[in-house]
Amino acid sequence: MLVNFADILKDAEKGNYAVGGFNTPTLETLKAVIDAAQEMNSPVMINHAEGDQCVVDIDVIGPLMIEYAKKATVPVAVHVDHGLTDDFVLRAVRAGFTSIMYDMSAYDFETNVEKTSKFVKIAHSMGVSVEAMINEMPANMPGKGMTIGWNTERTDDIPLSEFFTRPGEAGEFCERTGVDALTVSFGTVHGKYVAKPVLDIQRLTEIKAKTPNTSLVMHGGSGVDANQVRDAISHGVKKINYYTAMTTAPAPEILKTIEGSKDPIYFENIAQMGYEIMKEKCMEAIKVFLNKD
Ligand SMILES: [Zn+2]
C-alpha cells in the first residue's frame, strides 16, 4: 500500500528498526525491491534520484513506482532521493510521490535553512514529507579520488571526519526548518567503499539528542558491516539508503553466464537474472535493517 514516509518512520522509531530506501531506476530493480520487502514483510521506501534521470525519466518510472506501491502487501513510500532542483521535486509531487529529499546541501547553512523551510511549508500543505541534508557527503573514500557532494573536483587530502554532521547545527536546522527526516554524515560515503567504513556512533548519539523530533537517515548503506548498521539503528538511524551493493551484484554472475554459453542469450533472461540477484541482496539488507537478531 502507498503510504507517507512520516508514518513509516514513526513505526520504525517505535519498533527500533530502520526502513530501507532503495533506488529503483529500472523495472527489474523496482520489482526486486518490492518483492524483497513483501517476502520479508517489511515496509520499504522506493527512491528516484534526480541523478537517476539519465537512466529513466520520472514521468515514465514515477507512475510505475506508484502503481507497484499501491499494489504491494506492505507499506511503501515513494520517495525522491537527492532532489536538487525545484523543477524536479515539483514534478515528483505532481506525480504523486509521498516524500521528497530536498537536497540543498551544496548551499551554505543559512541558504539551506531558508530554501528548505520554504519547501517544507509547501510540501506539508500537500501531505508530502521532507528529508533534508546539511554538509555535503563525499563519494568514495578520502585519498582515493574522493568527490564531494555532486562535484567531481578531487579533494584527496581532507579527512572524512571533516564532513561529519555537527550535532548543534543538526538541532538548529531541524528546529528552524521542520523537516521530517535529516540525512546525517558520521562515517558513510556514497558509492563503492575503498576502505572499511567506521561509524562514529558517539557523534550519532549526540546528533539524536539534539534532534528528538526528526528521524535520522544514513546514506551510503552499502558496504557497512551488519553490526555497525545495527548499532547505528539503535542509536537513532531509522532510514538507510542502500543501492550500490545491490545494483553491482548481478554483473559477475551475468558475465559468467555469457561466457559459459554457446547459444545466443535472450535479453529477458539476463534481466531476470538481474532481478533475482538484486532481490536476494535487497532481502539481506532488509534483514539487517529490521534489527531483530
Ligand atoms: Zn545519498
Side-chain angles (χ1 to χ4, degrees):
M1 66 213 79
L2 178 64
V3 297
N4 189 297
F5 100 150
D7 296 332
I8 279 191
L9 291 178
K10 226 179 276 163
D11 289 344
E13 297 282 354
K14 267 188 236 149
N16 194 32
Y17 60 87
V19 180
F22 303 90
N23 290 38
T24 59
T26 70
L27 185 59
E28 288 71 31
T29 326
L30 177 57
K31 282 161 57 184
V33 172
I34 294 284
D35 289 350
Q38 290 185 153
E39 212 154 304
M40 298 300 292
N41 199 23
S42 168
V44 74
M45 299 186 58
I46 48 176
N47 301 342
H48 188 69
E50 191 153 356
D52 293 329
Q53 282 292 92
C54 56
V55 183
V56 61
D57 196 280
I58 193 166
D59 293 343
V60 175
I61 197 78
L64 271 178
M65 290 167 75
I66 288 163
E67 199 53 33
Y68 269 85
K70 281 181 181 163
K71 286 191 174 143
T73 56
V74 292
V76 181
V78 182
H79 176 75
V80 160
D81 185 33
H82 293 289
L84 304 170
T85 62
D86 287 355
D87 174 61
F88 179 72
V89 296
L90 292 174
R91 275 168 72 194
V93 171
R94 277 196 293 272
F97 278 53
T98 53
S99 59
I100 306 284
M101 179 189 186
Y102 191 63
D103 181 2
M104 297 294 117
S105 62
Y107 291 97
D108 62 77
F109 184 80
E110 279 303 321
T111 312
N112 191 349
V113 167
E114 194 187 312
K115 284 177 171 287
T116 305
S117 307
K118 270 190 204 156
F119 184 71
V120 166
K121 281 194 189 83
I122 298 168
H124 282 180
S125 74
M126 300 171 86
V128 172
S129 314
V130 181
E131 174 185 338
M133 179 169 168
I134 47 174
N135 308 121
E136 293 180 87
M137 184 185 277
N140 301 321
M141 293 299 273
K144 303 279 181 185
M146 176 176 76
T147 61
I148 307 302
W150 310 110
N151 301 326
T152 50
E153 197 184 320
R154 289 181 62 149
T155 50
D156 289 358
D157 296 327
I158 305 173
L160 185 62
S161 55
E162 289 287 307
F163 299 94
F164 286 0
T165 305
R166 289 180 281 278
E169 258 184 20
E172 184 186 340
F173 185 86
C174 292
E175 207 160 294
R176 288 175 65 190
T177 58
V179 289
D180 303 280
L182 183 73
T183 303
V184 289
S185 176
F186 60 104
T188 59
V189 294
H190 284 119
K192 223 173 164 53
Y193 287 85
V194 291
K196 191 175 152 31
V198 180
L199 302 184
D200 184 346
I201 297 295
Q202 176 59 32
R203 180 178 295 262
L204 175 64
T205 309
E206 287 165 20
I207 297 169
K208 187 63 220 168
K210 299 275 186 192
T211 57
N213 303 314
T214 311
S215 293
L216 300 182
V217 183
M218 181 170 90
H219 283 221
S222 294
V224 182
D225 66 71
N227 286 339
Q228 286 197 85
V229 171
R230 289 196 180 102
D231 213 10
I233 294 168
S234 298
H235 289 87
V237 164
K238 294 296 177 282
K239 177 192 163 215
I240 300 176
N241 278 23
Y242 180 96
Y243 181 62
T244 304
M246 177 177 75
T247 197
T248 55
E253 287 303 311
I254 289 171
L255 191 61
K256 258 191 253 164
T257 306
I258 293 169
E259 283 175 346
S261 174
K262 290 188 180 61
D263 298 320
I265 299 170
Y266 282 52
F267 174 72
E268 58 263 38
N269 295 341
I270 298 287
Q272 180 65 19
M273 272 185 76
Y275 156 80
E276 282 164 12
I277 294 166
M278 286 191 289
K279 183 182 157 200
E280 281 301 314
K281 275 307 256 193
C282 188
M283 284 172 65
E284 272 173 34
I286 290 174
K287 190 169 189 294
V288 175
F289 300 165
L290 286 174
N291 198 21
K292 271 189 185 143
D293 35 66

